[in-house]
Amino acid sequence: MRSLRILRLTMSQILILGIETSCDETAAAIVADGRRILSNVVASQVDLHARYGGVFPELASRVHVEAIVPVVQEAMTQAGVGWGDLAAVAVTVGPGLVGSLLVGINFAKGLALGRGLPLVPVNHLEAHLYANWLQSDTEGAAPSDLTFPLLVLIVSGGHTELVLMRGHGDYLCLGSTLDDAAGEAFDKVGRLLGLPYPGGPSIEKAAQSGDPTRFRLPRAWLEGTYDFSFSGLKTAVARLVQEQDPDLRFVPDIAAAFQEAVVDVLATKTVAAAREYGATAILLSGGVSANQALRTAVRQRASVPVYYPPLFLCTDNAAMVAACGYFRYRAGVRAGWDLDADPNLRLC
Ligand code: KG4
Ligand code: ZN
């Protein structure tokens, strides 16, 4: 056992503890060299918030307070490492819910101070894209020798960003949503259709038995830009639901039409941006990149390889924070002891 651990630690040089508490997942992970996951622990509050139909911020922070110590301890135990093996602690500082972020930040600060470890601040959006750097043998996983520039689509509950990644930490933001984020649209439409929270996976499931051609929903193309808008689509769904006879079956068909409308716009703009900027590959990331229809549509339309993380790394986790933290650590990025949460932090 011990010789196994020594072998593992000598093979991999830099171990980062990642901590993530930006929304409703308390997560900790140990990642070696920004790529190899030694542990990845996620305590999800999703069932707790489901009864409110969305994340209840104050409840989220209090549950993080309860969960953070056992989650970090579990990550250390599963990885079979001690505090002395760590090179740094990386923590999400934003964007996200301020009360939730503060729990992770203060815990990471105390740990780093107590153990004499460097503290590395991580942008949650950047962490999402680094999920593609984590080693995985699942279909769609990126190879280790990605070359820049890369076109990245970050689609989560709070964000929809099209980004050109020119190098580690070097981003050109091409477009973002003007109103609702893609995941937010899925969640709101899920609620309109009476589907369980979160709406994304529920809509994807309902859409499987639906006919996407029965209803035609609008697409906001915002011609000439790489921006997005999903609020008009959500309003169109609300109107459509009101017009339906409640005794007749319509949920799977509306779910399928809605999903197709979102995927159409996301895939078209992503592929166009990759072409315009000469990207060598497309990376999908964030909770909505778990969507199979999105993955398939981008793959079918793109002329460059398309990669996405395995499902458990698409949604919030700390392995992606540790992977991102590794590259920031190598670049010499360190947080001061006055580190604070930045709920509106941007990528560029
Ligand atoms: O990245 P994430 O876990 O948290 C944020 O940083 O926001 O993303 C959560 C979002 C939710 O809006 C959820 O509905 C959406 O990702 N989502 C999906 C799917 N799985 C999760 N959306 C569409 N299809 C899915 N399969
Ligand atoms: Zn996220």
Side-chain angles (χ1 to χ4, degrees):
M1 183 66 195
R2 181 160 168 76
S3 61
L4 251 181
R5 185 179 149 223
I6 289 168
L7 181 69
R8 212 167 53 185
L9 292 184
T10 47
M11 273 163 54
S12 49
Q13 310 303 323
I14 298 177
L15 298 191
I16 307 281
L17 164 64
I19 295 176
E20 157 63 38
T21 63
S22 68
C23 192
D24 59 344
E25 260 92 32
T26 316
I30 312 287
V31 171
D33 293 333
R35 184 150 173 83
R36 210 157 53 84
I37 300 176
L38 302 190
S39 66
N40 183 33
V41 178
V42 182
S44 177
Q45 307 174 10
V46 71
D47 295 342
L48 208 59
H49 297 283
R51 77 182 82 145
Y52 304 104
V55 179
F56 187 169
E58 192 181 311
L59 182 63
S61 9
R62 302 186 77 146
V63 179
H64 284 310
V65 170
E66 291 170 6
I68 188 79
V69 171
V71 165
V72 172
Q73 281 176 331
E74 184 62 21
M76 296 293 288
T77 305
Q78 283 187 17
V81 300
W83 303 116
D85 298 321
L86 299 177
V89 180
V91 64
T92 302
V93 297
L97 301 169
V98 67
S100 291
L101 289 163
L102 285 173
V103 177
I105 291 171
N106 278 314
F107 180 86
K109 219 186 256 191
L111 181 62
L113 181 67
R115 292 284 164 180
L117 291 166
L119 182 61
V120 180
V122 167
N123 180 320
H124 182 79
L125 294 174
E126 194 177 6
H128 267 301
L129 74 88
Y130 272 100
N132 282 290
W133 262 260
L134 292 162
Q135 196 173 38
S136 163
D137 54 11
T138 52
E139 181 265 334
S144 57
D145 57 349
L146 286 170
T147 50
F148 298 109
L150 295 160
L151 199 285
V152 189
L153 174 69
I154 308 170
V155 267
S156 70
H159 296 270
T160 307
E161 311 276 345
L162 256 188
V163 182
L164 186 70
M165 186 178 186
R166 298 178 288 205
H168 291 292
D170 180 6
Y171 306 105
L172 177 66
C173 287
L174 305 176
S176 62
T177 182
L178 304 181
D179 39 58
D180 292 349
E184 188 181 358
F186 270 97
D187 294 337
K188 287 179 176 170
V189 166
R191 215 171 305 149
L192 288 171
L193 295 176
L195 295 170
Y197 174 84
S202 301
I203 288 178
E204 178 163 26
K205 192 157 165 246
Q208 277 161 11
S209 60
D211 171 9
T213 62
R214 179 174 159 203
F215 301 106
R216 178 77 192 163
L217 287 168
R219 281 113 169 104
W221 288 110
L222 307 177
E223 296 288 350
T225 77
Y226 287 119
D227 288 330
F228 302 92
S229 166
F230 297 110
S231 72
L233 176 59
K234 176 195 62 195
T235 309
V237 171
R239 208 172 306 124
L240 199 55
V241 170
Q242 275 172 0
E243 290 165 1
Q244 301 310 306
D245 179 342
D247 295 333
L248 297 179
R249 181 190 128 110
F250 62 87
V251 170
D253 296 338
I254 295 183
F258 166 78
Q259 179 174 268
E260 193 178 83
V262 174
V263 164
D264 194 12
V265 178
L266 288 176
T268 303
K269 293 207 175 208
T270 302
V271 170
R275 195 174 302 127
E276 179 178 346
Y277 288 90
T280 63
I282 292 171
L283 305 182
L284 306 181
S285 59
V288 182
S289 70
N291 189 279
Q292 205 58 50
L294 175 66
R295 294 171 167 198
T296 306
V298 180
R299 279 216 146 151
Q300 281 173 349
R301 299 176 198 195
S303 51
V304 291
V306 180
Y307 302 115
Y308 34 79
L311 292 184
F312 74 100
L313 295 176
C314 287
T315 46
D316 287 351
N317 65 86
M320 66 185 195
V321 175
C324 180
Y326 167 80
F327 287 96
R328 296 286 75 75
Y329 171 80
R330 295 277 309 264
V333 176
R334 303 288 184 268
W337 296 123
D338 59 349
L339 179 69
D340 194 4
D342 189 346
N344 301 312
L345 186 62
R346 302 174 59 90
L347 195 56
C348 36

